[in-house]
Amino acid sequence: MLFSLVIAWTLAPQPGEGVPTGKSVVLYGLLLQDVFGSPSPNGAFWSIAVEAQLYFVFPLLLLALRRAGAAVMLGVATAIVMLIGLLAPHVSAVDALMRFTPQFAALFAAGVVAAGIVRAGEKWQRVRWQWWSFAAVVPVIALIVVMGPVWTTGNFIWVDLAASPAVALLLVAVATRQPKPLVRLLDTRPVRSLGSFSYSLYLTHAPIVVVVYTVVVGPLFGTGLGAFGVMLLICVPVTIAFARGFAAVFEIPFVKHRSWAALRAAMTTRTAKPKIEEPVPATD
């Protein structure tokens, strides 16, 4: 957040946002940005509040899973979200809940079910899950094509819910090593390396992209396909390189060492001077 605030205060705020204020610092620091409005220092930050709120829901999902089973847990979570979506256009109090993007609770529940399928045993792992995923995504694509972009962007709650089965099934497929070409691609060294700092890339890319366009690309190339191509040429390597350095300091150490004690021990070991052993006298 400090990096994002410095960029927004000194170079360029996020598109469609004002310059972040002290209120922004407090709300985004407490992960309350989807409860109260305030200028955003980083366009990617909207999802972090949702993520934190899902962690509060997670124990309830697990409790329902253990008491009633996966189908009931997923069905109840999805039904609640659908009820919110149906009532939101007509009830202002329910419409206020839409700022929490409630559909992600249903998607999170689908992820819990997917994890359960992966752990269910060898019989389930022999299923060709990638074909089920493909079958599930076809009607979603058809819906988007038929309804058009205006309807789609105004009804993300329904599009996300419709895409949920396809995404969950694809996760199951990849976790059970299917399909082989996709798994081989994901196992390549460049992709695995990118995955190791992908969250840092998500967190830091937005301010960099805005600065590149505001300072360089916009004044020189304006808008259009040419400007977009220049943005890609500059932003892809710059954001990846920055995110890799950012992750080395702020993400990867906390992934490898899950406690402060372990992290301090690792830092002490790395910074300690190597001990020079005394030579052993030769003997006859």
Side-chain angles (χ1 to χ4, degrees), residues 75-105:
V76 170
T78 304
I80 293 174
V81 173
M82 292 180 66
L83 184 62
I84 293 173
L86 291 171
L87 293 177
H90 311 289
V91 182
S92 58
V94 178
D95 185 57
L97 297 176
M98 294 297 290
R99 65 169 59 207
F100 296 100
T101 52
Q103 64 266 35
F104 285 109

PDB file of all heavy atoms in Angstrom, residues 75-105:
ATOM      1  N   GLY A  75     -24.815 -26.002  -2.301  1.00  0.00           N
ATOM      2  CA  GLY A  75     -26.161 -25.584  -2.675  1.00  0.00           C
ATOM      3  C   GLY A  75     -26.662 -24.428  -1.835  1.00  0.00           C
ATOM      4  O   GLY A  75     -27.244 -23.478  -2.365  1.00  0.00           O
ATOM      5  N   VAL A  76     -26.421 -24.486  -0.529  1.00  0.00           N
ATOM      6  CA  VAL A  76     -26.877 -23.409   0.353  1.00  0.00           C
ATOM      7  C   VAL A  76     -26.128 -22.117   0.051  1.00  0.00           C
ATOM      8  O   VAL A  76     -26.735 -21.037  -0.038  1.00  0.00           O
ATOM      9  CB  VAL A  76     -26.696 -23.811   1.829  1.00  0.00           C
ATOM     10  CG1 VAL A  76     -26.932 -22.619   2.748  1.00  0.00           C
ATOM     11  CG2 VAL A  76     -27.642 -24.946   2.192  1.00  0.00           C
ATOM     12  N   ALA A  77     -24.802 -22.199  -0.109  1.00  0.00           N
ATOM     13  CA  ALA A  77     -24.015 -21.004  -0.412  1.00  0.00           C
ATOM     14  C   ALA A  77     -24.462 -20.371  -1.728  1.00  0.00           C
ATOM     15  O   ALA A  77     -24.632 -19.147  -1.828  1.00  0.00           O
ATOM     16  CB  ALA A  77     -22.528 -21.356  -0.470  1.00  0.00           C
ATOM     17  N   THR A  78     -24.682 -21.194  -2.738  1.00  0.00           N
ATOM     18  CA  THR A  78     -25.105 -20.678  -4.035  1.00  0.00           C
ATOM     19  C   THR A  78     -26.510 -20.096  -3.966  1.00  0.00           C
ATOM     20  O   THR A  78     -26.794 -19.049  -4.565  1.00  0.00           O
ATOM     21  CB  THR A  78     -25.051 -21.796  -5.091  1.00  0.00           C
ATOM     22  OG1 THR A  78     -23.728 -22.348  -5.129  1.00  0.00           O
ATOM     23  CG2 THR A  78     -25.402 -21.247  -6.467  1.00  0.00           C
ATOM     24  N   ALA A  79     -27.403 -20.769  -3.226  1.00  0.00           N
ATOM     25  CA  ALA A  79     -28.784 -20.283  -3.106  1.00  0.00           C
ATOM     26  C   ALA A  79     -28.833 -18.916  -2.424  1.00  0.00           C
ATOM     27  O   ALA A  79     -29.600 -18.031  -2.834  1.00  0.00           O
ATOM     28  CB  ALA A  79     -29.624 -21.293  -2.331  1.00  0.00           C
ATOM     29  N   ILE A  80     -28.016 -18.724  -1.396  1.00  0.00           N
ATOM     30  CA  ILE A  80     -27.986 -17.430  -0.705  1.00  0.00           C
ATOM     31  C   ILE A  80     -27.516 -16.330  -1.650  1.00  0.00           C
ATOM     32  O   ILE A  80     -28.098 -15.233  -1.698  1.00  0.00           O
ATOM     33  CB  ILE A  80     -27.077 -17.515   0.539  1.00  0.00           C
ATOM     34  CG1 ILE A  80     -27.699 -18.445   1.582  1.00  0.00           C
ATOM     35  CG2 ILE A  80     -26.849 -16.126   1.133  1.00  0.00           C
ATOM     36  CD1 ILE A  80     -26.803 -18.709   2.775  1.00  0.00           C
ATOM     37  N   VAL A  81     -26.480 -16.628  -2.418  1.00  0.00           N
ATOM     38  CA  VAL A  81     -25.962 -15.635  -3.361  1.00  0.00           C
ATOM     39  C   VAL A  81     -26.993 -15.328  -4.438  1.00  0.00           C
ATOM     40  O   VAL A  81     -27.202 -14.158  -4.812  1.00  0.00           O
ATOM     41  CB  VAL A  81     -24.648 -16.144  -3.989  1.00  0.00           C
ATOM     42  CG1 VAL A  81     -24.196 -15.203  -5.103  1.00  0.00           C
ATOM     43  CG2 VAL A  81     -23.558 -16.256  -2.929  1.00  0.00           C
ATOM     44  N   MET A  82     -27.660 -16.336  -4.948  1.00  0.00           N
ATOM     45  CA  MET A  82     -28.691 -16.117  -5.973  1.00  0.00           C
ATOM     46  C   MET A  82     -29.848 -15.292  -5.416  1.00  0.00           C
ATOM     47  O   MET A  82     -30.387 -14.424  -6.122  1.00  0.00           O
ATOM     48  CB  MET A  82     -29.192 -17.465  -6.493  1.00  0.00           C
ATOM     49  CG  MET A  82     -28.175 -18.240  -7.298  1.00  0.00           C
ATOM     50  SD  MET A  82     -28.808 -19.819  -7.904  1.00  0.00           S
ATOM     51  CE  MET A  82     -30.077 -19.252  -9.042  1.00  0.00           C
ATOM     52  N   LEU A  83     -30.205 -15.529  -4.173  1.00  0.00           N
ATOM     53  CA  LEU A  83     -31.277 -14.752  -3.555  1.00  0.00           C
ATOM     54  C   LEU A  83     -30.889 -13.283  -3.452  1.00  0.00           C
ATOM     55  O   LEU A  83     -31.705 -12.387  -3.725  1.00  0.00           O
ATOM     56  CB  LEU A  83     -31.597 -15.317  -2.177  1.00  0.00           C
ATOM     57  CG  LEU A  83     -32.766 -14.664  -1.424  1.00  0.00           C
ATOM     58  CD1 LEU A  83     -34.063 -14.835  -2.203  1.00  0.00           C
ATOM     59  CD2 LEU A  83     -32.895 -15.260  -0.019  1.00  0.00           C
ATOM     60  N   ILE A  84     -29.631 -13.031  -3.090  1.00  0.00           N
ATOM     61  CA  ILE A  84     -29.141 -11.650  -3.034  1.00  0.00           C
ATOM     62  C   ILE A  84     -29.210 -11.009  -4.415  1.00  0.00           C
ATOM     63  O   ILE A  84     -29.657  -9.863  -4.576  1.00  0.00           O
ATOM     64  CB  ILE A  84     -27.707 -11.614  -2.482  1.00  0.00           C
ATOM     65  CG1 ILE A  84     -27.685 -12.041  -1.013  1.00  0.00           C
ATOM     66  CG2 ILE A  84     -27.097 -10.217  -2.637  1.00  0.00           C
ATOM     67  CD1 ILE A  84     -26.294 -12.189  -0.438  1.00  0.00           C
ATOM     68  N   GLY A  85     -28.777 -11.755  -5.433  1.00  0.00           N
ATOM     69  CA  GLY A  85     -28.801 -11.220  -6.790  1.00  0.00           C
ATOM     70  C   GLY A  85     -30.197 -10.930  -7.291  1.00  0.00           C
ATOM     71  O   GLY A  85     -30.411  -9.953  -8.008  1.00  0.00           O
ATOM     72  N   LEU A  86     -31.171 -11.750  -6.903  1.00  0.00           N
ATOM     73  CA  LEU A  86     -32.545 -11.546  -7.347  1.00  0.00           C
ATOM     74  C   LEU A  86     -33.212 -10.382  -6.628  1.00  0.00           C
ATOM     75  O   LEU A  86     -34.010  -9.643  -7.218  1.00  0.00           O
ATOM     76  CB  LEU A  86     -33.354 -12.830  -7.127  1.00  0.00           C
ATOM     77  CG  LEU A  86     -32.990 -14.013  -8.034  1.00  0.00           C
ATOM     78  CD1 LEU A  86     -33.697 -15.276  -7.560  1.00  0.00           C
ATOM     79  CD2 LEU A  86     -33.334 -13.715  -9.484  1.00  0.00           C
ATOM     80  N   LEU A  87     -32.887 -10.218  -5.338  1.00  0.00           N
ATOM     81  CA  LEU A  87     -33.539  -9.172  -4.552  1.00  0.00           C
ATOM     82  C   LEU A  87     -32.866  -7.804  -4.693  1.00  0.00           C
ATOM     83  O   LEU A  87     -33.496  -6.778  -4.458  1.00  0.00           O
ATOM     84  CB  LEU A  87     -33.568  -9.568  -3.074  1.00  0.00           C
ATOM     85  CG  LEU A  87     -34.451 -10.757  -2.703  1.00  0.00           C
ATOM     86  CD1 LEU A  87     -34.305 -11.071  -1.212  1.00  0.00           C
ATOM     87  CD2 LEU A  87     -35.911 -10.491  -3.054  1.00  0.00           C
ATOM     88  N   ALA A  88     -31.582  -7.801  -5.065  1.00  0.00           N
ATOM     89  CA  ALA A  88     -30.812  -6.552  -5.095  1.00  0.00           C
ATOM     90  C   ALA A  88     -31.457  -5.455  -5.935  1.00  0.00           C
ATOM     91  O   ALA A  88     -31.488  -4.291  -5.508  1.00  0.00           O
ATOM     92  CB  ALA A  88     -29.389  -6.825  -5.572  1.00  0.00           C
ATOM     93  N   PRO A  89     -32.000  -5.762  -7.122  1.00  0.00           N
ATOM     94  CA  PRO A  89     -32.597  -4.671  -7.918  1.00  0.00           C
ATOM     95  C   PRO A  89     -33.866  -4.080  -7.306  1.00  0.00           C
ATOM     96  O   PRO A  89     -34.299  -2.996  -7.718  1.00  0.00           O
ATOM     97  CB  PRO A  89     -32.914  -5.348  -9.266  1.00  0.00           C
ATOM     98  CG  PRO A  89     -32.066  -6.565  -9.306  1.00  0.00           C
ATOM     99  CD  PRO A  89     -31.958  -7.021  -7.884  1.00  0.00           C
ATOM    100  N   HIS A  90     -34.447  -4.758  -6.330  1.00  0.00           N
ATOM    101  CA  HIS A  90     -35.736  -4.332  -5.800  1.00  0.00           C
ATOM    102  C   HIS A  90     -35.680  -3.883  -4.338  1.00  0.00           C
ATOM    103  O   HIS A  90     -36.580  -3.179  -3.890  1.00  0.00           O
ATOM    104  CB  HIS A  90     -36.744  -5.478  -5.926  1.00  0.00           C
ATOM    105  CG  HIS A  90     -36.779  -6.105  -7.279  1.00  0.00           C
ATOM    106  ND1 HIS A  90     -37.300  -5.465  -8.380  1.00  0.00           N
ATOM    107  CD2 HIS A  90     -36.330  -7.312  -7.714  1.00  0.00           C
ATOM    108  CE1 HIS A  90     -37.184  -6.256  -9.452  1.00  0.00           C
ATOM    109  NE2 HIS A  90     -36.601  -7.373  -9.076  1.00  0.00           N
ATOM    110  N   VAL A  91     -34.651  -4.292  -3.600  1.00  0.00           N
ATOM    111  CA  VAL A  91     -34.549  -3.977  -2.171  1.00  0.00           C
ATOM    112  C   VAL A  91     -33.226  -3.270  -1.942  1.00  0.00           C
ATOM    113  O   VAL A  91     -32.152  -3.862  -2.153  1.00  0.00           O
ATOM    114  CB  VAL A  91     -34.645  -5.244  -1.298  1.00  0.00           C
ATOM    115  CG1 VAL A  91     -34.589  -4.872   0.182  1.00  0.00           C
ATOM    116  CG2 VAL A  91     -35.915  -6.020  -1.622  1.00  0.00           C
ATOM    117  N   SER A  92     -33.273  -2.024  -1.517  1.00  0.00           N
ATOM    118  CA  SER A  92     -32.044  -1.229  -1.378  1.00  0.00           C
ATOM    119  C   SER A  92     -31.095  -1.814  -0.339  1.00  0.00           C
ATOM    120  O   SER A  92     -29.870  -1.772  -0.518  1.00  0.00           O
ATOM    121  CB  SER A  92     -32.395   0.212  -1.007  1.00  0.00           C
ATOM    122  OG  SER A  92     -33.143   0.255   0.205  1.00  0.00           O
ATOM    123  N   ALA A  93     -31.632  -2.370   0.753  1.00  0.00           N
ATOM    124  CA  ALA A  93     -30.778  -2.946   1.788  1.00  0.00           C
ATOM    125  C   ALA A  93     -30.001  -4.141   1.251  1.00  0.00           C
ATOM    126  O   ALA A  93     -28.822  -4.343   1.578  1.00  0.00           O
ATOM    127  CB  ALA A  93     -31.626  -3.350   2.992  1.00  0.00           C
ATOM    128  N   VAL A  94     -30.657  -4.945   0.412  1.00  0.00           N
ATOM    129  CA  VAL A  94     -29.975  -6.089  -0.194  1.00  0.00           C
ATOM    130  C   VAL A  94     -28.991  -5.620  -1.262  1.00  0.00           C
ATOM    131  O   VAL A  94     -27.901  -6.179  -1.415  1.00  0.00           O
ATOM    132  CB  VAL A  94     -30.999  -7.072  -0.787  1.00  0.00           C
ATOM    133  CG1 VAL A  94     -30.296  -8.250  -1.466  1.00  0.00           C
ATOM    134  CG2 VAL A  94     -31.945  -7.579   0.296  1.00  0.00           C
ATOM    135  N   ASP A  95     -29.374  -4.580  -1.996  1.00  0.00           N
ATOM    136  CA  ASP A  95     -28.480  -4.051  -3.026  1.00  0.00           C
ATOM    137  C   ASP A  95     -27.154  -3.582  -2.431  1.00  0.00           C
ATOM    138  O   ASP A  95     -26.112  -3.644  -3.092  1.00  0.00           O
ATOM    139  CB  ASP A  95     -29.176  -2.903  -3.754  1.00  0.00           C
ATOM    140  CG  ASP A  95     -28.351  -2.380  -4.911  1.00  0.00           C
ATOM    141  OD1 ASP A  95     -28.008  -3.169  -5.805  1.00  0.00           O
ATOM    142  OD2 ASP A  95     -28.031  -1.178  -4.921  1.00  0.00           O
ATOM    143  N   ALA A  96     -27.193  -3.113  -1.180  1.00  0.00           N
ATOM    144  CA  ALA A  96     -25.951  -2.684  -0.530  1.00  0.00           C
ATOM    145  C   ALA A  96     -24.976  -3.839  -0.359  1.00  0.00           C
ATOM    146  O   ALA A  96     -23.756  -3.625  -0.273  1.00  0.00           O
ATOM    147  CB  ALA A  96     -26.273  -2.067   0.830  1.00  0.00           C
ATOM    148  N   LEU A  97     -25.483  -5.072  -0.324  1.00  0.00           N
ATOM    149  CA  LEU A  97     -24.611  -6.234  -0.178  1.00  0.00           C
ATOM    150  C   LEU A  97     -23.816  -6.522  -1.446  1.00  0.00           C
ATOM    151  O   LEU A  97     -22.813  -7.243  -1.396  1.00  0.00           O
ATOM    152  CB  LEU A  97     -25.434  -7.472   0.194  1.00  0.00           C
ATOM    153  CG  LEU A  97     -26.175  -7.432   1.528  1.00  0.00           C
ATOM    154  CD1 LEU A  97     -27.017  -8.685   1.694  1.00  0.00           C
ATOM    155  CD2 LEU A  97     -25.196  -7.294   2.686  1.00  0.00           C
ATOM    156  N   MET A  98     -24.246  -5.978  -2.576  1.00  0.00           N
ATOM    157  CA  MET A  98     -23.566  -6.262  -3.837  1.00  0.00           C
ATOM    158  C   MET A  98     -22.148  -5.716  -3.860  1.00  0.00           C
ATOM    159  O   MET A  98     -21.308  -6.204  -4.620  1.00  0.00           O
ATOM    160  CB  MET A  98     -24.373  -5.681  -5.001  1.00  0.00           C
ATOM    161  CG  MET A  98     -25.726  -6.353  -5.207  1.00  0.00           C
ATOM    162  SD  MET A  98     -25.585  -8.089  -5.628  1.00  0.00           S
ATOM    163  CE  MET A  98     -24.905  -7.968  -7.272  1.00  0.00           C
ATOM    164  N   ARG A  99     -21.873  -4.710  -3.040  1.00  0.00           N
ATOM    165  CA  ARG A  99     -20.511  -4.173  -3.010  1.00  0.00           C
ATOM    166  C   ARG A  99     -19.520  -5.183  -2.446  1.00  0.00           C
ATOM    167  O   ARG A  99     -18.313  -5.034  -2.601  1.00  0.00           O
ATOM    168  CB  ARG A  99     -20.463  -2.876  -2.204  1.00  0.00           C
ATOM    169  CG  ARG A  99     -20.778  -3.042  -0.725  1.00  0.00           C
ATOM    170  CD  ARG A  99     -20.449  -1.782   0.059  1.00  0.00           C
ATOM    171  NE  ARG A  99     -21.187  -0.643  -0.433  1.00  0.00           N
ATOM    172  CZ  ARG A  99     -20.762   0.614  -0.330  1.00  0.00           C
ATOM    173  NH1 ARG A  99     -19.602   0.869   0.227  1.00  0.00           N
ATOM    174  NH2 ARG A  99     -21.492   1.616  -0.767  1.00  0.00           N
ATOM    175  N   PHE A 100     -20.025  -6.219  -1.761  1.00  0.00           N
ATOM    176  CA  PHE A 100     -19.152  -7.267  -1.223  1.00  0.00           C
ATOM    177  C   PHE A 100     -18.896  -8.382  -2.245  1.00  0.00           C
ATOM    178  O   PHE A 100     -18.260  -9.373  -1.902  1.00  0.00           O
ATOM    179  CB  PHE A 100     -19.769  -7.874   0.037  1.00  0.00           C
ATOM    180  CG  PHE A 100     -19.911  -6.903   1.170  1.00  0.00           C
ATOM    181  CD1 PHE A 100     -21.138  -6.311   1.441  1.00  0.00           C
ATOM    182  CD2 PHE A 100     -18.828  -6.559   1.956  1.00  0.00           C
ATOM    183  CE1 PHE A 100     -21.281  -5.407   2.486  1.00  0.00           C
ATOM    184  CE2 PHE A 100     -18.955  -5.653   2.995  1.00  0.00           C
ATOM    185  CZ  PHE A 100     -20.185  -5.074   3.265  1.00  0.00           C
ATOM    186  N   THR A 101     -19.389  -8.215  -3.479  1.00  0.00           N
ATOM    187  CA  THR A 101     -19.306  -9.257  -4.523  1.00  0.00           C
ATOM    188  C   THR A 101     -19.607 -10.639  -3.931  1.00  0.00           C
ATOM    189  O   THR A 101     -18.729 -11.507  -3.858  1.00  0.00           O
ATOM    190  CB  THR A 101     -17.919  -9.263  -5.205  1.00  0.00           C
ATOM    191  OG1 THR A 101     -16.896  -9.329  -4.205  1.00  0.00           O
ATOM    192  CG2 THR A 101     -17.714  -8.043  -6.050  1.00  0.00           C
ATOM    193  N   PRO A 102     -20.862 -10.859  -3.502  1.00  0.00           N
ATOM    194  CA  PRO A 102     -21.193 -12.088  -2.780  1.00  0.00           C
ATOM    195  C   PRO A 102     -20.990 -13.356  -3.588  1.00  0.00           C
ATOM    196  O   PRO A 102     -20.855 -14.444  -3.024  1.00  0.00           O
ATOM    197  CB  PRO A 102     -22.674 -11.882  -2.428  1.00  0.00           C
ATOM    198  CG  PRO A 102     -23.186 -10.909  -3.431  1.00  0.00           C
ATOM    199  CD  PRO A 102     -22.039  -9.992  -3.705  1.00  0.00           C
ATOM    200  N   GLN A 103     -20.954 -13.241  -4.935  1.00  0.00           N
ATOM    201  CA  GLN A 103     -20.794 -14.446  -5.741  1.00  0.00           C
ATOM    202  C   GLN A 103     -19.492 -15.181  -5.447  1.00  0.00           C
ATOM    203  O   GLN A 103     -19.375 -16.389  -5.655  1.00  0.00           O
ATOM    204  CB  GLN A 103     -20.881 -14.125  -7.238  1.00  0.00           C
ATOM    205  CG  GLN A 103     -19.781 -13.229  -7.786  1.00  0.00           C
ATOM    206  CD  GLN A 103     -20.182 -11.775  -7.799  1.00  0.00           C
ATOM    207  OE1 GLN A 103     -20.898 -11.311  -6.909  1.00  0.00           O
ATOM    208  NE2 GLN A 103     -19.728 -11.033  -8.797  1.00  0.00           N
ATOM    209  N   PHE A 104     -18.501 -14.445  -4.915  1.00  0.00           N
ATOM    210  CA  PHE A 104     -17.233 -15.107  -4.630  1.00  0.00           C
ATOM    211  C   PHE A 104     -17.347 -16.082  -3.463  1.00  0.00           C
ATOM    212  O   PHE A 104     -16.521 -16.982  -3.339  1.00  0.00           O
ATOM    213  CB  PHE A 104     -16.141 -14.066  -4.365  1.00  0.00           C
ATOM    214  CG  PHE A 104     -15.654 -13.401  -5.623  1.00  0.00           C
ATOM    215  CD1 PHE A 104     -15.966 -12.090  -5.902  1.00  0.00           C
ATOM    216  CD2 PHE A 104     -14.913 -14.103  -6.555  1.00  0.00           C
ATOM    217  CE1 PHE A 104     -15.542 -11.477  -7.068  1.00  0.00           C
ATOM    218  CE2 PHE A 104     -14.485 -13.509  -7.722  1.00  0.00           C
ATOM    219  CZ  PHE A 104     -14.791 -12.192  -7.984  1.00  0.00           C
ATOM    220  N   ALA A 105     -18.351 -15.913  -2.616  1.00  0.00           N
ATOM    221  CA  ALA A 105     -18.585 -16.905  -1.566  1.00  0.00           C
ATOM    222  C   ALA A 105     -18.989 -18.230  -2.182  1.00  0.00           C
ATOM    223  O   ALA A 105     -18.534 -19.308  -1.751  1.00  0.00           O
ATOM    224  CB  ALA A 105     -19.657 -16.405  -0.601  1.00  0.00           C
TER     225      ALA A 105
END
